[in-house]
Amino acid sequence: METYSIALIPGDGIGQDVTAAAWQVLERVSAQSSFALEATTFPWSCAYYKETGAMMPSDGIATLRGFDAILLGAVGWPAEVPDSVSLHGLLLPIRKAFVQYANIRPHRLMPGVEGPLKARNFDILCIRENTEGEYSGAGGRVHQGTKDEVAVETSIFTRTGVERILRFGFEQARARRGKLASVTKSNAQKYSMVFWDEITEQLAAEYPDVAVISYHIDAMAARMVMAPESLDVVVASNLFGDILTDLGAAIQGGLGFAASANINPDRSAPSMFEPVHGSAPDIAHLGVANPIAAIWSAAMMLEHLGEAAAAERIMAAIAAATSAGIGTVPGRDRTETITAAVLAALD
């Protein structure tokens, strides 16, 4: 029997509740399958930062490297620790150290869920570059606190980074419906985004079976609202992908359905899976967080590990729960109620 070692980082706020829910589902489906899961939980969070002065210990990356995958809950508690500290102290170092350059976020309506759009039959896979671009962290501030203060933030786009995320997008489009939308703002950003467009065009010649269209970010935002069913795979830079995937979460019914995977495609290091709704301090500890995004992320983890049948069973169980009206309205059903419905569907 194959046994997978999973690092659990529940993190802050509702991250703890939804990670516990996702793990219950993982344990149930593994018990019904021919594989086993072993979890090690790490308390790294904003609370950990307040106690130790760091979001994770100095050997945190080395510790995580030995796991098959990482399941993350949520990181951040702005009232206690600035987001710039929590993000750059845990999430971004993991993504960069493990070369998790492909951030994958599926956007589609689960049965029984009412989104804000008239359109229902959309199935969009957003692929966001995850390790460089606008979130590279290159820059600085001088003359701080004076009237002459200057802040510089430099985006870094490498040929390696742009080519590999676009190639990943082409491969995903080839495996789905054969359509790729590449998103830039090359009419305004004449260096980095023109560079991205040029590489898109170069790679398109290697994928004659994939229909490619380049969009500006503003036009893509409008298309995701007006004609989401026309889209298949969307690939974008770190910043643009971040914005578009929040829009994608909105049209699929809200952040409670927003699953994601931070993938190391060559599997030289563990990949990380997380819901993208954040720690939600306003509802933390109330027991009303929707765990579906975390459970969906757990299904993506199993698929990545090669357990596609188990992943499909989890997705079918989520669909059964939402078809019955459970977990479809934000805040109406308790976390434990939604989890129980998914578990019952698995049985």
Side-chain angles (χ1 to χ4, degrees), residues 43-56 80-82 85-86 89:
W44 306 338
S45 61
C46 288
Y48 184 87
Y49 176 86
K50 292 182 70 177
E51 292 177 3
T52 67
M55 290 296 296
M56 64 177 169
E80 302 290 336
V81 178
V85 171
S86 59

Side-chain angles (χ1 to χ4, degrees), residues 75-97:
V75 175
W77 200 271
E80 302 290 336
V81 178
D83 282 341
S84 58
V85 171
S86 59
L87 182 66
H88 287 272
L90 184 61
L91 191 59
L92 293 187
I94 292 173
R95 287 175 175 173
K96 293 178 181 179

